[in-house]
Amino acid sequence: MVIVGGGCVGAGILYGLAKRGWTDVALLERTQLTAGSTWHAAGLIPSYARNINVGRMINKTIEIYEGLEAETGQPVGWHKCGQLRIANSRDRLDEFKSYMSVAEVQGMRAQLLTPDEARKLWPLLDNKEMLGALYHPDDGHIAPADVTHAMAKGARDLGAKVYLNTEVTGFSRTPGGEWLVRTNQGDITCEHVICATGNYARQTGALLGLDIPAIPILHQYWITEAVPE
Ligand SMILES: Cc1cc2nc3c(=O)[nH]c(=O)nc-3n(C[C@H](O)[C@H](O)[C@H](O)COP(=O)(O)OP(=O)(O)OC[C@H]3O[C@@H](n4cnc5c(N)ncnc54)[C@H](O)[C@@H]3O)c2cc1C
């Protein structure tokens, strides 16, 4: 099997497969691991999801990330600090209230807090309009690059291969029905291909004759001076 793309998704798939005994797998990354969006991510792991399948994936992700350092020996900076979502309007508060039953079905630990309860958790919260807050105690943050490298290491330790500076330039089918994956370093034949190229999904899809309706959007973030605790 070939996985294209060495971000957190490609590395996560590689690690998940290797743990299930699929070790004849090669991950191909055109530059370095985490060179795409993963490098920019803030690393927040929020479990707020109204879709049951997404919720399950988040629960599973938290479970995997929590055990990663012990499994791979690589520090990943997992910090379970919990997360507060603030409701400044009636509509937002109603949304949080209706979410509570979704959280229960999904097995997410969540609490609806009064403004005073929220301020007790985070005294710097100086928000006069706040009507309430949604608290997820199991949320946290992780170092996105470290978690990717840890999963790649875990997979390599189990026998999977990672090829850097290897750009996939095309795909074709062999007469036997296998995939011929063309790269700037040579060709690889395999039974299955997984594209985990993130923002480049459209370009990778085009190599397969697919029109992937994915559009990259701009993200912003601010970096502040350290805030004293
Ligand atoms: C500013 C910012 C903040 C964010 N904060 C968060 C957050 O707090 N929490 C959260 O969950 N998410 C966050 N995200 C989103 C998160 O970063 C992405 O969802 C995630 O990193 C996507 O990972 P990926 O592996 O799918 O893609 P990428 O990390 O983009 O990896 C794709 C890889 O594919 C490679 N590639 C592309 N084409 C080819 C090819 N032809 N051959 C070989 N390799 C190829 C690229 O080089 C790249 O390394 C944030 C994103 C940004 C931009």
Side-chain angles (χ1 to χ4, degrees), residues 48-68:
Y48 183 69
R50 303 186 70 94
N51 176 299
I52 193 141
N53 291 325
V54 175
R56 281 189 183 141
M57 279 174 67
I58 294 170
N59 273 343
K60 189 71 192 167
T61 300
I62 292 175
E63 187 190 313
I64 293 169
Y65 285 178
E66 278 183 332
L68 211 47

Side-chain angles (χ1 to χ4, degrees), residues 144-160:
D146 294 352
V147 85
T148 306
H149 284 285
M151 292 189 292
K153 177 185 182 293
R156 277 199 201 102
D157 289 348
L158 292 167

Side-chain angles (χ1 to χ4, degrees), residues 3-11 28-46 141 144 148 163 166-171 196-201 203-204 207 217-221:
I3 299 168
V4 190
C8 61
V9 173
L28 313 180
E29 164 53 47
R30 68 176 187 165
T31 57
Q32 298 295 311
L33 293 177
T34 79
S37 295
T38 299
W39 189 84
H40 297 276
L44 308 179
I45 312 287
H141 62 83
T148 306
Y163 296 96
T166 304
E167 179 168 3
V168 172
T169 53
F171 302 94
T197 50
N199 274 342
Y200 304 87
Q203 287 92 324
T204 322
L207 296 177
I217 53 165
L218 277 178
H219 238 68
Q220 288 96 28
Y221 57 84

